[in-house]
Amino acid sequence: MDRLRDIEEAIGAHARWMSDLRQAILDARSGVDVAMIRADDQCEFGKWLYGSRWSAEDRTTDSYQEVRQLHADFHELAAQVVERAAQGKTVEAYALLYGEYVTMSGRLALALRAWQGRLLQGVA
């Protein structure tokens, strides 16, 4: 049950990240660290995902691998959003944020929910 609760908390952390990213667009000209945004192991979610909570066996499951890849893709898109904002391309940054990024965010949330379901069934 700890893992189910952890995934629920991870979903919440993921949702908070989008709010932070909107602020990063506004702050981008003042020097947001794009490399830190791109790093998928530095956010709260990433630290949990790459942390000691998951065994070597857990890390080989399709659920874990899917979430890990989607999370990495999510961070890459987030970095692209901030890079555009830092270049003064605010409209492009928002278009990417509310287009591909929102789609990727939804895919990650769905993958996390599916992972929860598999854990509940003992299949993960």
Side-chain angles (χ1 to χ4, degrees):
M1 287 306 208
D2 286 344
R3 290 178 180 176
L4 294 172
R5 186 184 67 244
D6 286 350
I7 291 174
E8 195 63 39
E9 289 173 9
I11 291 168
H14 167 77
R16 287 187 298 276
W17 226 84
M18 187 158 175
S19 176
D20 293 345
L21 187 58
R22 278 191 293 268
Q23 187 60 44
I25 291 172
L26 298 173
D27 297 341
R29 289 182 189 251
S30 63
V32 172
D33 186 352
V34 175
M36 188 67 155
I37 291 171
R38 187 169 272 120
D40 70 330
D41 62 347
Q42 296 302 304
C43 68
E44 183 181 339
F45 182 99
K47 289 177 182 175
W48 166 79
L49 188 61
Y50 288 103
S52 61
R53 197 79 148 148
W54 304 102
S55 70
E57 183 181 337
D58 290 329
R59 292 171 196 273
T60 64
T61 65
D62 290 342
S63 296
Y64 180 92
Q65 289 298 316
E66 179 184 19
V67 167
R68 188 196 55 73
Q69 185 59 57
L70 287 169
H71 183 246
D73 294 346
F74 172 83
H75 273 269
E76 178 57 36
L77 271 173
Q80 290 175 26
V81 167
V82 174
E83 284 172 337
R84 283 179 174 79
Q87 295 166 354
K89 300 175 182 177
T90 307
V91 172
E92 285 183 34
Y94 279 115
L96 186 58
L97 175 68
Y98 290 108
E100 282 183 66
Y101 182 84
V102 167
T103 300
M104 176 60 64
S105 180
R107 287 179 59 206
L108 179 55
L110 288 172
L112 285 163
R113 291 287 181 211
W115 192 7
Q116 273 184 318
R118 287 185 210 104
L119 284 169
L120 277 169
Q121 295 171 355
V123 181

